[in-house]
Amino acid sequence: MAIRKVARMGHPVLRQKARTLTVEEIRSPEVSRLISDMVETLHEYGGIGLAAPQIHESVRLALVEIPEGSVRYPEGAGITQPLAVFINPEIQVLDKEEQGFWEGCLSVPDLRGLVQRPKKIEVCYLDAEGKGHTLVAEGFLSTVLQHEFDHLDGVLYIDRLRDTTRLAFVEEYQRYFQD
Ligand code: NI
């Protein structure tokens, strides 16, 4: 296990479309090492999600770790709370109505931005064993997953800002915008 350096906005790896992993690759020692490194890196930097391109690995894999109590994963999603591994995720929007959350990103440090995204989605993905699952997510979890999976297509949350007056440094966000 190793803590990896997180790529910051401007690094080309964050703008590439990441490639799909095969089931054979998913079950390989290389990918399990990558997942361990991502877990360790996420814990070191702090945060609730990390996508492989953020540690310079352009593959379709993301981790989400939401503090227990704040969000519940639905049953049958193959997720051992609070940490979940999503490989080759595919999103389908179930409710186009949008919700706004203030987002942050380890690759865009010290900033927060208010982003509107669809409320409810369905995600098909493979877990760390290569097993397929379907998950319906709404509310905060829906936003978190869309943010992480955007990284796999080279998209950052700032690309989705509609109102740049709702982009702030963390300190100013806490002072002027946080409830
Ligand atoms: Ni991010």
Side-chain angles (χ1 to χ4, degrees):
M1 297 238 292
I3 294 165
R4 308 271 289 262
K5 188 181 172 193
V6 172
R8 303 203 307 176
M9 180 169 60
H11 195 295
V13 74
L14 294 173
R15 294 312 197 168
Q16 284 166 20
K17 190 174 163 70
R19 74 172 178 87
T20 298
L21 285 168
T22 65
V23 172
E24 200 185 358
E25 282 179 304
I26 293 166
R27 293 175 182 157
S28 71
E30 287 75 21
V31 168
S32 50
R33 197 171 316 123
L34 172 61
I35 293 171
S36 306
D37 285 358
M38 285 174 65
V39 172
E40 210 177 343
T41 303
L42 181 63
H43 290 163
E44 170 68 17
Y45 280 78
I48 54 178
L50 187 69
Q54 293 183 275
I55 59 158
H56 310 85
E57 300 279 355
S58 196
V59 293
R60 303 187 81 77
L61 191 163
L63 289 187
V64 169
E65 185 172 48
I66 294 182
E68 265 173 289
S70 62
V71 159
R72 240 181 70 91
Y73 292 108
E75 285 190 34
I79 294 169
T80 314
Q81 289 190 31
L83 183 82
V85 176
F86 296 89
I87 300 173
N88 303 340
E90 302 272 357
I91 288 187
Q92 212 186 324
V93 173
L94 297 184
D95 185 347
K96 269 197 259 178
E97 201 187 318
E98 292 186 326
Q99 57 183 5
F101 279 104
W102 284 86
E103 299 186 19
C105 181
L106 295 177
S107 295
V108 189
D110 305 324
L111 291 172
R112 294 287 181 273
L114 183 64
V115 182
Q116 308 290 331
R117 298 183 188 267
K119 261 186 170 168
K120 194 172 178 183
I121 58 169
E122 183 179 80
V123 183
C124 293
Y125 64 97
L126 302 179
D127 65 19
E129 278 88 52
K131 208 172 141 218
H133 299 277
T134 301
L135 164 76
V136 173
E138 44 192 326
F140 183 57
L141 180 61
S142 172
T143 281
V144 170
L145 294 177
Q146 290 175 72
H147 174 120
E148 293 312 323
F149 303 161
D150 265 354
H151 279 297
L152 309 180
D153 291 323
V155 174
L156 299 175
Y157 82 81
I158 51 148
D159 306 337
R160 298 203 181 272
L161 286 176
R162 285 187 206 140
D163 178 358
T164 47
T165 69
R166 294 296 181 270
L167 179 65
F169 288 102
V170 171
E171 216 182 301
E172 281 72 14
Y173 159 72
Q174 287 167 344
R175 192 157 165 195
Y176 299 109
F177 293 107
Q178 205 171 28
D179 309 327

